[in-house]
Amino acid sequence: MTEINSVTTLTRDGDVAVITLNSPPVNALSGNVRQGLYDGFKAAAASDAKAIVLICEGRTFIAGADISEFGAAAGVPTASLFDVQDMMENSPVPVVAAIHGTALGGGLEVALCAHYRVAVPSARLGLPEVALGLLPGAGGTQRLPRVVGVETALEMMTSGRHVPAPEAAKLGLVDELAEEGKLKEAAIAFANKCVAENKPLVKISSNNTKLEAAKGKPEIFAAFRKANARKFRGFAAPEANIKCIEAAVNSATFEDGLKAERKLFGELMMGAQSAAQRYYFFAERQANKIPDVPDDTPIRPINKVGIIGAGTMGGGIAMNFANVGIEVVIVEQQQAPLDKGLATIRSNYERSRTAKPEETAKRIGLITGSLSMEEAFADVDLVIEAVFERMDVKKDIFAKLDAICKPGCILATNTSGLNIDEIASVTKRPQDVIGLHFFSPANVMKLLEIVRADHTAKDVIATSMKLAKKIGKIAVLVGVTPGFVGNRILGQRQREAQKLVMEGAMPWDVDRVLFDFGFPMGPFAMSDLAGLDIGWVKEKSNGETIRDVLCEMDRRGQKTGAGYYDYDENRNAIPSPVTEKILHDFIVKSGVNPRKISDEEILERCIYPMINEGVKILDEGKAIRASDVDVVWVNGYGWPVYRGGPMHYGDVVGPEKVLAKMKEFQATMGDQFKPSALLEKLVADGKKFSDLKG
Ligand code: CAA
């Protein structure tokens, strides 16, 4: 065995040279890895080997460029990825890439420079750069369509999808599937076969057949752009990816296509969107790290889950567990709502069709119902209470759970803002009580706020974090504070939105500004969608608020065909003269002089108080770090990922500007804009929002 460098070895198996990379955790293409590859291929080519296999140790094949190197100062000069690729593609003997785990981004771009690819069925291949606000910048945009064709390349590159190896084999990305656990043997055997059969040294870059099929057909691209316009709105990277594939089709040579790719890659890499998306990639992974709950904290086994409440929330939560094979029992007080809840779950499964029919049936079969907590919950490992938000009701339930559930059972509440310490206080085991705040629809939304109360045990936190990952959620650990992190910050935006329309802005002005910022919809369109009458009581309504008046007029949102907006027969929102008149009357009555409010003011008044609230939350220790606040807002509240989250956005705008504006607003509009003491300190110390820890 020759040690090429600290992460690369070169060994021989008969006529085959085997280059092995071992750079944990994911064999990313850091300078050291690139240099190891370069020197490894050089040494292999200089030897008498008749073929070369590239394989990786650890959990995965190369998972891409080393993202932490992007935007960082250049280190010691090393071989570039292009140097490595040239060496592979022009190797005088066949090169076989042996793939397990994931071959992503630069990893797949390396594999595409091998002459052949062998993979185990569990491997996944893809070009996910779009998720980082980028495009594959090492020839991937030019090679992939040459292998899979233009349409598939468009879909793969703009979605970033990780394609399972069996599908990749059908697409021609993988030449042979190896038996699981026998990758190395299979790749060496394949390499020997190449030699024995004198197989050609396939250079993807020089095969244009698949591109020819799309030449002179701009309609392919036009149709793709049109079909995905909504999904791509606001993002720069999908369009740049599409342009690269267009360049592959329309350029005279592979090299010309590469030039186009390099130019567009450079533009994205220098842009604010990719910086935000790369920041967010690490933010999401950071959120898993709890300083005082180490990775090796023991976890409690969760084999059966109890849920209280068969409403929309309870049902959605149940589906998450059944989807991963965990048994669930739902308890309701009456048969009718229980039957209705179980029927809704069934129809949700049947409508979604995400799994094969037999798998769907299995999942439905894992969810049962009961009218008795005593009977249903005696053997569960976790109970999640998902009833309406009333402290007395929740306390009553938790006192009962304390008496019924076995020792060690985790007692969780799905409250979206009530005090969990108070709920825990009625039990004799507050260490087992935690908040699991799912977002609606709970089977779809990614975010899970895990709420740590004063006495929550570390293993309960560790178990909840692991369980969240298992059910496909992105978990953020937060502390007990009204509304927790997400809703507490939302409260700031909602307040300003309501005030703006009482000063002369129209609901559609506020919505448009926030929509253009990148939110899927503004607060008023959102209220219309959710229903204005949530929490509204007809008997108590006295026309004191705009909502009262709208509901009294039976303008309760989309479901009644009108709310803040009017709606046409296709549910398109139309600015409403009725709402305008109501607002006008309110403003006149309040004695305020309505004024024209600029888009800039709307945005700043909605967003800066959110950032200030995030700082307060961190100051109070209710979130661990600034980036956790961002993960909450991107996943739970539609903050556009290409703006990183409220705290990252604060850094982009600049803490000084946020502070100055808050002070200016405070002087003219009052103390709801009072900057937090920590914001003042942050600016005085010349620090950034992202430096803040809770
Ligand atoms: N660069 C640097 N670090 C990376 C990395 C990368 N490409 N991919 C993963 N990591 C790190 C993570 O930050 C994490 O570090 P910590 O343990 O310190 O938090 C660790 O590797 C493990 O990652 P995950 O927690 O995400 O592990 P997982 O098993 O859940 O997922 C994965 C593994 C599917 C590879 C996932 O990490 C992933 O999707 N990585 C990104 C892949 C990617 O986007 N590649 C393209 C890079 S851009 C590029 O290649 C441009 C180009 O054209 C040259």
Side-chain angles (χ1 to χ4, degrees):
M1 184 183 85
T2 312
E3 193 169 303
I4 300 289
N5 68 4
S6 60
V7 294
T8 321
T9 58
L10 179 63
T11 52
R12 268 304 269 269
D13 188 301
D15 285 336
V16 181
V18 179
I19 298 172
T20 307
L21 279 181
N22 187 10
S23 180
V26 295
N27 289 308
L29 290 159
S30 59
N32 212 16
V33 169
R34 294 195 303 269
Q35 193 62 47
L37 280 171
Y38 184 82
D39 293 338
F41 275 104
K42 201 166 164 193
S47 74
D48 61 352
K50 296 205 171 95
I52 306 170
V53 164
L54 168 64
I55 194 163
C56 294
E57 279 191 358
R59 65 212 255 198
T60 180
F61 188 76
I62 304 164
D66 186 338
I67 304 166
S68 60
E69 276 188 354
F70 294 166
V76 185
T78 52
S80 76
L81 197 49
F82 295 107
D83 296 334
V84 173
Q85 289 176 309
D86 282 348
M87 182 81 81
M88 292 174 70
E89 229 178 16
N90 298 319
S91 160
V93 297
V95 175
V96 178
I99 300 170
H100 76 293
T102 46
L104 299 176
L108 181 55
E109 291 175 298
V110 165
L112 288 173
C113 292
H115 303 118
Y116 296 97
R117 284 152 297 281
V118 174
V120 286
S122 59
R124 287 173 296 137
L125 297 83
L127 294 177
E129 284 85 345
V130 72
L132 299 168
L134 291 172
L135 55 85
T141 68
Q142 305 303 298
R143 288 190 177 88
L144 187 72
R146 283 175 160 82
V147 180
V148 301
V150 164
E151 273 101 337
T152 306
L154 282 169
E155 183 274 317
M156 278 180 67
M157 281 165 46
T158 57
S159 70
R161 187 165 70 92
H162 300 181
V163 177
E167 182 188 341
K170 286 192 191 126
L171 292 172
L173 263 180
V174 164
D175 298 286
E176 187 174 275
L177 287 171
E179 203 179 311
E180 218 64 64
K182 304 228 165 107
L183 180 61
K184 190 168 171 187
E185 297 88 315
I188 291 170
F190 192 92
N192 278 320
K193 193 163 81 176
C194 290
V195 177
E197 295 176 7
N198 206 13
K199 276 181 176 276
L201 304 182
V202 178
K203 252 191 184 184
I204 291 170
S205 56
S206 39
N207 185 348
N208 294 340
T209 321
K210 293 251 165 83
L211 298 181
E212 294 300 334
K215 267 217 158 73
K217 292 188 186 156
E219 62 275 16
I220 296 178
F221 296 96
F224 187 77
R225 285 187 171 101
K226 193 166 167 219
N228 292 286
R230 229 179 111 137
K231 200 160 92 197
F232 298 160
R233 181 181 73 91
F235 285 90
E239 176 58 24
N241 273 275
I242 297 171
K243 281 197 175 127
C244 284
I245 304 179
E246 273 178 326
V249 172
N250 298 326
S251 298
T253 63
F254 176 77
E255 283 67 30
D256 285 348
L258 267 191
K259 269 188 213 145
E261 177 190 279
R262 234 166 276 177
K263 179 170 172 290
L264 287 160
F265 181 80
E267 285 169 15
L268 289 178
M269 184 62 102
M270 298 308 290
Q273 289 203 358
S274 178
Q277 288 176 260
R278 285 174 349 240
Y279 156 85
Y280 184 76
F281 175 86
F282 289 113
E284 213 171 86
R285 279 151 184 85
Q286 273 291 105
N288 281 321
K289 300 183 172 84
I290 318 295
D292 66 332
V293 182
D295 260 1
D296 57 359
T297 305
I299 59 164
R300 303 186 186 182
I302 305 290
N303 298 314
K304 187 172 177 186
V305 174
I307 291 173
I308 310 170
T312 316
M313 209 33 152
I317 296 172
M319 291 172 76
N320 287 301
F321 294 104
N323 290 347
V324 295
I326 297 177
E327 204 184 325
V328 183
V329 54
I330 306 182
V331 168
E332 257 295 348
Q333 282 180 319
Q334 310 283 337
Q335 192 66 46
L338 181 61
D339 290 345
K340 187 167 170 236
L342 292 173
T344 305
I345 291 174
R346 262 195 306 277
S347 75
N348 279 347
Y349 269 125
E350 278 151 13
R351 255 186 308 125
S352 74
R353 294 186 192 192
T354 42
K356 292 198 178 117
E358 58 274 21
E359 175 58 27
T360 302
K362 197 173 126 205
R363 292 178 189 182
I364 293 172
L366 281 170
I367 304 175
T368 53
S370 169
L371 297 178
S372 158
M373 287 210 275
E374 285 78 2
E375 278 168 26
F377 291 166
D379 64 342
V380 295
D381 305 301
L382 160 70
V383 179
I384 303 173
E385 162 277 308
V387 304
F388 47 89
E389 294 283 60
R390 256 183 47 195
M391 182 55 90
D392 55 337
V393 178
K394 298 206 187 246
K395 278 180 161 175
D396 187 42
I397 288 175
F398 273 73
K400 285 194 184 120
L401 291 176
D402 193 24
I404 297 167
C405 296
K406 67 184 183 189
C409 172
I410 297 177
L411 310 180
T413 169
N414 178 53
T415 179
S416 57
L418 293 181
N419 186 327
I420 300 178
D421 288 311
E422 198 178 332
I423 297 175
S425 72
V426 301
T427 72
K428 288 191 266 331
R429 39 173 137 173
Q431 74 279 4
D432 293 339
V433 177
I434 196 164
L436 294 180
H437 180 207
F438 288 83
F439 288 70
S440 190
N443 53 321
V444 177
M445 292 291 287
K446 282 267 175 207
L447 178 65
L448 182 66
E449 273 183 329
I450 298 187
V451 193
R452 174 183 206 163
D454 277 350
H455 299 287
T456 310
K458 290 185 182 179
D459 65 339
V460 171
I461 295 170
T463 305
S464 302
M465 295 295 292
K466 287 254 158 60
L467 191 60
K469 195 157 191 187
K470 183 167 180 181
I471 63 175
K473 298 292 177 207
I474 291 162
V476 179
L477 188 70
V478 302
V480 175
T481 177
F484 310 131
V485 168
N487 283 343
R488 182 169 156 184
I489 292 177
L490 177 68
Q492 296 292 315
R493 193 187 80 178
Q494 298 300 80
R495 187 200 61 228
E496 277 317 297
Q498 290 296 339
K499 277 179 49 221
L500 282 160
V501 297
M502 292 299 290
E503 294 169 27
M506 286 293 124
W508 30 96
D509 296 329
V510 177
D511 281 355
R512 176 181 41 78
V513 168
L514 291 171
F515 180 79
D516 289 348
F517 182 78
F519 283 102
M521 62 177 76
F524 296 100
M526 185 51 136
S527 296
D528 273 3
L529 180 66
L532 293 184
D533 54 357
I534 294 179
W536 176 77
V537 184
K538 192 174 181 179
E539 293 68 33
K540 290 191 188 158
S541 182
N542 53 11
E544 259 183 13
T545 64
I546 295 158
R547 179 177 86 153
D548 278 353
V549 176
L550 289 169
C551 286
E552 284 164 18
M553 293 170 78
D554 214 26
R555 296 179 66 98
R556 299 186 189 195
Q558 284 198 22
K559 61 185 172 188
T560 55
Y564 285 104
Y565 292 83
D566 292 336
Y567 290 89
D568 68 12
E569 60 284 5
N570 298 320
R571 288 214 172 178
N572 291 313
I574 304 161
S576 167
V578 179
T579 305
E580 199 167 337
K581 168 90 175 51
I582 297 170
L583 278 170
H584 179 77
D585 292 348
F586 261 92
I587 292 174
V588 169
K589 213 164 82 188
S590 69
V592 168
N593 248 346
R595 65 189 171 97
K596 171 103 187 74
I597 302 181
S598 71
D599 289 359
E600 192 186 5
E601 181 179 336
I602 292 175
L603 188 69
E604 290 176 342
R605 279 179 57 187
C606 286
I607 302 286
Y608 294 172
M610 294 169 67
I611 300 172
N612 189 46
E613 198 65 22
V615 175
K616 283 189 195 163
I617 286 170
L618 287 157
D619 201 12
E620 293 163 24
K622 303 300 179 189
I624 295 172
R625 49 183 88 79
S627 59
D628 283 7
V629 174
D630 289 339
V631 175
V632 166
W633 263 77
V634 167
N635 277 294
Y637 297 82
W639 184 285
V641 65
Y642 58 78
R643 293 193 196 274
M647 309 313 284
H648 176 83
Y649 181 71
D651 280 335
V652 171
V653 173
E656 306 78 11
K657 178 163 181 199
V658 176
L659 176 63
K661 274 286 168 187
M662 290 294 287
K663 282 186 169 165
E664 184 188 317
F665 291 147
Q666 184 190 14
T668 51
M669 286 178 260
D671 271 354
Q672 73 272 22
F673 289 102
K674 189 172 187 305
S676 85
L678 185 58
L679 174 54
E680 302 254 18
K681 184 167 178 336
L682 185 84
V683 172
D685 294 350
K687 293 210 166 134
K688 299 198 304 185
F689 290 108
S690 53
D691 295 327
L692 291 175
K693 303 253 180 299

